[in-house]
């Protein structure tokens, strides 16, 4: 919320307030205030006016609103606007001095070259001005700034980490020497109030002895140097943890989640290259996301509690169809991204009775070029409660036989009525026979289908009609050719089978930006 939004709010002030402002303007008693940023440590609100009379500058304090409303309005403003407003308003000045959240980044400090040159000194002044005042949220983001700031960080954290701090985010710019987070600042009761901790691109070691993170509910470590043992010490003092996300923590070889974490509901592990084993004894995990990890995982008692799962690894589809119904039988949402698939995968011998949402993504080059997409039917048969299906494929990597109106013999099966399936979207739809047959199968046997979307654009390109831009993103001739072939197949073999009750969406490339002459 900026100053323009504030002007809209004060426009409804009382009539006498508007008249008072008009009289002040007529007498010339209100002059343009010099807006000095509090980020530089200057408070111009109490300076003397430069007039010959030497009177104090009179300031407009705003409409007569309760203090808590002013404070709420002020807290919704971006940092820079909030500082400027505090320079010209008594109501905002008091709320600035107890603002609970501070975000320090190149963007919030102005985003200009002159600000970037003095980034460290400005940020240093902001935090020094807030020393000893109840700061609840601090976010320090150096992703867009490459200057040497590590020498300042210890002082800033020393100021900010108090028994009142609830959320701390430290997002550093990647470089060879990672900043070593001073874990000692979280000891001796200073971390007792911390609820959310996010660290990006630093080292977090010396966790032995940490005993004051009893209220920590969310821990996010991204590209952080920490071992499995050090993480275990952290868990021992974080019994209230509800959400754990690890991304690119390459020093962890074995991840053990103790049963102490009774409140843990979400576990996400992404791209930890050396990780071989995930063993969880936390009993109440309901959401588990795993990406680019080839090690083994065991969820213990949580297997029966799990409702949401996302997997991305080698042979994900094969593994899911053969094993998951036995491991996590109560899933409601399942997302699968395959790094590699073989053509023939085993059929599901047990059903997902509660599965309502299924997303399957086959990335480019990740599967056999002759992979039969029609095999997704086995998932439909194994999920009688399924309501939403999302299927994503990559057209150019599919060496497929185009559909000419004759179904493959192996796909001529008697289908099961899917009375709960309501929404289907296929991204990367092309003229491959297996995709066309799968679509026709769904139209015939999904008796409650409400919406069918066939996206021939791969779903990842910006189109002028969708984004208000002058021209669509450039595409290769092969992509445009495959998209046009897909449209011909849709018109010839699919459109006529769509019931009137089904909302049918076909997404194609823009004919204005990609015309036939490009071929």
């Amino acid at each position: 919320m900026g100053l323009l939004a504030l002007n809209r709010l004060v426009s409804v002030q009382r009539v006498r307030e508007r008249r008072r402002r008009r009289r002040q303007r007529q007498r010339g008693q209100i002059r343009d205030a010099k807006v000095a940023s509090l980020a530089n440590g200057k408070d111009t609100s109490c300076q003397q006016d430069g007039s010959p009379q030497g009177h104090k500058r009179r300031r407009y304090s705003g409409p007569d609103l309760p203090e808590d409303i002013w404070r709420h309005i002020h807290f919704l403003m971006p940092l820079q606007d909030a500082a400027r407003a505090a320079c010209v308003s008594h109501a905002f000045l008091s709320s600035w001095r107890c603002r609970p959240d501070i975000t320090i980044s190149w963007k919030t400090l102005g985003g200009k070259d002159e600000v970037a040159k003095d980034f460290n000194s400005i940020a240093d002044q902001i935090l020094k001005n807030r020393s000893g005042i109840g700061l609840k949220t601090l976010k320090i983001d150096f992703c867009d700034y490459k200057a040497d700031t590590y020498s300042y960080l210890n002082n800033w954290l020393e100021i900010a980490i108090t028994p009142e701090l609830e959320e701390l985010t430290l997002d550093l710019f990647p470089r060879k020497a990672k900043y070593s987070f001073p874990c000692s600042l979280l000891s001796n009761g200073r971390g007792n109030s911390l609820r959310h901790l996010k660290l990006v691109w630093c080292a977090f070691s010396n966790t032995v002895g940490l005993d004051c993170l009893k209220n920590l509910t969310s821990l996010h470590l991204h590209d952080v140097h920490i071992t499995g043992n050090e993480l275990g010490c952290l868990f021992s003092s974080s019994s209230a943890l509800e959400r754990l996300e690890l991304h690119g923590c390459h020093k962890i070889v074995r991840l053990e989640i103790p049963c102490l974490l009774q409140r843990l509901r979400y576990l996400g592990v992404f791209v930890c290259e050396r990780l071989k084993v995930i063993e969880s004894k936390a009993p109440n995990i309901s959401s588990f996301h795993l990406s680019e990890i080839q090690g083994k995982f065991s969820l213990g008692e949580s297997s029966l509690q799990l409702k949401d799962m996302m997997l991305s690894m080698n042979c994900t589809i094969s593994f899911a169809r053969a094993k998951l119904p036995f491991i996590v039988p109560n899933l409601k949402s399942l997302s699968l991204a395959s790094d590699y698939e073989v053509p023939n995968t085993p059929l599901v011998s047990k059903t997902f009775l509660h599965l309502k949402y299924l997303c399957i993504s086959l990335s480019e080059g990740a599967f056999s070029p002759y992979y039969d997409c029609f095999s997704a039917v086995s998932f439909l048969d194994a999920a009688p409660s399924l309501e939403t299906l999302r299927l994503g494929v990559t057209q150019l990597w599919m060496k497929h036989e185009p559909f000419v109106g004759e179904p493959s013999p192996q796909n001529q099966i008697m289908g099961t009525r899917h009375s709960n399936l309501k929404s289907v979207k296929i991204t990367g739809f092309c003229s491959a026979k297996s995709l066309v047959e799968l679509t026709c199968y769904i139209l015939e046997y999904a008796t409650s289908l409400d919406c069918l979307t066939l996206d021939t654009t791969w779903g990842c390109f910006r189109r002028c009609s969708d984004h208000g831009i002058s021209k669509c993103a450039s595409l290769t001739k092969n992509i445009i050719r495959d998209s046009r072939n897909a449209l011909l197949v849709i018109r010839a073999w699919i459109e006529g089978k769509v019931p009137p009750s089904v909302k049918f969406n076909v997404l194609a490339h823009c004919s204005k930006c990609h015309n036939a002459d490009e071929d």
Side-chain angles (χ1 to χ4, degrees):
M1 178 177 178
L3 293 178
L4 291 177
L6 174 62
N7 289 334
R8 297 191 187 99
L9 289 175
V10 301
S11 65
V12 297
Q13 64 184 291
R14 298 174 183 176
V15 174
R16 67 176 179 81
E17 184 67 26
R18 292 201 301 269
R19 291 175 178 173
R20 184 179 70 83
R21 291 180 60 194
R22 191 179 302 114
R23 289 195 300 269
Q24 287 177 331
R25 286 195 300 269
Q26 291 172 350
R27 292 194 301 264
Q29 295 177 344
I30 294 183
R31 301 178 180 179
D32 292 336
K34 295 180 180 180
V35 179
S37 175
L38 289 183
N40 287 315
K42 299 177 182 179
D43 185 358
T44 60
S45 62
C46 297
Q47 294 179 356
Q48 296 291 325
D49 189 274
S51 63
Q53 292 81 3
H55 296 301
K56 289 185 178 180
R57 183 175 59 208
R58 299 185 63 180
R59 300 171 304 146
Y60 167 56
S61 60
D64 186 15
L65 296 175
E67 182 179 355
D68 57 342
I69 294 181
W70 276 117
R71 183 167 296 179
H72 179 70
I73 293 172
H74 200 209
F75 289 169
L76 292 175
M77 290 182 181
L79 181 65
Q80 190 179 33
D81 288 344
R84 288 172 174 169
C87 290
V88 295
S89 167
H90 277 305
F92 283 161
L93 179 60
S94 62
S95 64
W96 166 260
R97 289 170 175 164
C98 59
R99 184 182 177 96
D101 63 294
I102 295 291
T103 298
I104 299 177
S105 68
W106 182 80
K107 182 178 180 180
T108 60
L109 295 186
K112 298 179 181 179
D113 292 338
E114 54 269 25
V115 173
K117 293 178 182 178
D118 299 323
F119 185 93
N120 292 338
S121 59
I122 294 175
D124 194 57
Q125 190 64 54
I126 288 176
L127 288 174
K128 285 182 178 178
N129 287 343
R130 293 302 308 273
S131 180
I133 304 175
L135 188 64
K136 294 184 179 297
T137 300
L138 174 63
K139 298 179 181 180
I140 303 177
D141 182 2
F142 294 132
C143 284
D144 297 325
Y145 188 64
K146 301 180 182 180
D148 184 11
T149 55
Y150 287 5
S151 59
Y152 288 81
L153 283 175
N154 284 351
N155 292 334
W156 296 348
L157 295 176
E158 179 76 30
I159 294 172
I161 299 178
T162 68
E164 296 178 330
L165 189 68
E166 296 181 359
E167 181 176 352
L168 175 61
T169 297
L170 185 59
D171 193 343
L172 303 180
F173 191 86
R175 54 175 57 193
K176 287 185 178 180
K178 290 192 174 183
Y179 170 74
S180 182
F181 185 90
C183 296
S184 59
L185 293 180
L186 299 176
S187 301
N188 301 321
R190 298 183 66 178
N192 274 339
S193 61
L194 199 62
R195 295 176 57 83
H196 306 281
L197 177 61
K198 180 179 180 180
L199 302 177
V200 181
W201 201 262
C202 66
F204 194 77
S205 55
N206 300 321
T207 58
V208 177
L210 280 182
D211 58 354
C212 57
L213 294 174
K214 60 182 181 180
N215 290 310
L216 188 67
T217 60
S218 174
L219 177 62
H220 182 179
L221 303 180
H222 194 300
D223 284 303
V224 171
H225 278 193
I226 187 170
T227 66
N229 290 335
E230 290 167 340
L231 195 57
C233 293
L234 188 60
F235 291 154
S236 65
S237 62
S238 309
S239 58
L241 199 62
E242 298 175 2
R243 183 180 181 88
L244 173 63
E245 184 169 335
L246 305 175
H247 194 296
C249 298
H250 302 307
K251 294 185 69 175
I252 301 176
V253 178
R254 183 183 183 90
L255 176 61
E256 296 183 358
I257 312 294
C259 61
L260 173 70
L261 303 186
Q262 298 280 318
R263 300 182 185 180
L264 189 64
R265 296 292 185 271
Y266 171 83
L267 174 60
V269 185
F270 308 92
V271 203
C272 297
E273 294 178 351
R274 297 182 61 199
L275 186 59
K276 302 299 181 184
V277 177
I278 300 175
E279 183 178 357
S280 173
K281 296 181 181 179
N284 296 309
I285 297 177
S286 60
S287 182
F288 177 51
H289 291 183
L290 185 68
S291 177
E292 298 185 41
I293 305 295
Q294 304 307 325
K296 299 179 180 179
F297 66 87
S298 171
L299 298 176
E301 296 180 17
S302 291
S303 295
L304 297 179
Q305 306 291 332
L306 209 66
K307 299 297 188 294
D308 167 53
M309 175 176 275
M310 188 279 285
L311 293 178
S312 175
M313 57 185 186
N314 286 342
C315 297
T316 307
I317 311 298
S318 307
F319 174 79
R321 291 169 63 182
K323 303 293 185 181
L324 284 188
F326 301 94
I327 300 175
V328 283
N330 297 317
L331 279 181
K332 291 186 177 181
S333 175
L334 176 61
S335 298
L336 303 171
S338 181
D339 293 333
Y340 170 77
E341 284 298 330
V342 294
N344 299 316
T345 56
L347 295 176
V348 176
S349 57
K350 189 176 175 65
T351 59
F352 294 99
L353 292 177
H354 308 285
L355 192 66
K356 295 183 179 296
Y357 176 89
L358 174 63
C359 178
I360 301 176
S361 299
L362 299 168
S363 60
E364 60 182 54
F367 58 98
S368 166
Y370 299 101
Y371 186 80
D372 185 7
C373 294
F374 189 81
S375 62
V377 168
S378 66
F379 266 115
L380 300 182
D381 292 339
S385 300
L386 192 67
E387 296 178 356
T388 303
L389 173 65
R390 300 287 182 262
L391 177 63
V393 299
T394 306
Q395 299 157 320
L396 295 182
W397 288 86
M398 294 187 66
K399 295 181 181 178
H400 51 263
E401 180 184 357
F403 187 76
V404 293
E406 297 180 1
S408 302
Q410 66 271 23
N411 292 341
Q412 294 181 355
I413 61 175
M414 285 297 295
T416 303
R417 296 292 174 183
H418 305 289
S419 57
N420 292 303
L421 188 59
K422 294 179 173 58
S423 176
V424 175
K425 181 177 182 178
I426 301 178
T427 302
F429 186 89
C430 61
S431 58
K433 177 179 286 190
S434 62
L435 276 178
V436 178
E437 291 176 348
L438 174 63
T439 306
C440 293
Y441 176 92
I442 291 172
L443 287 172
E444 182 174 357
Y445 293 104
T447 55
S448 298
L449 191 65
D450 292 331
C451 181
L452 172 64
T453 300
L454 303 180
D455 186 350
T456 69
T457 71
W458 292 20
C460 57
F461 294 105
R462 291 168 57 87
R463 297 188 300 174
C464 60
S465 58
D466 296 335
H467 298 87
I469 55 180
S470 59
K471 187 175 182 180
C472 301
S474 59
L475 302 171
T476 66
K477 293 182 179 181
N478 288 337
I479 294 176
I480 299 172
R481 180 202 62 213
D482 280 5
S483 177
R484 290 173 183 160
N485 290 339
L487 293 176
L488 294 175
V489 170
I490 290 172
R491 295 190 186 103
W493 305 106
I494 296 178
E495 272 188 357
K497 297 183 179 181
V498 179
S501 59
V502 175
K503 183 180 180 181
F504 186 43
N505 302 313
V506 178
L507 303 181
H509 295 300
C510 173
S511 58
K512 180 183 70 174
C513 301
H514 305 292
N515 53 54
D517 295 337
E518 296 182 6
D519 289 339

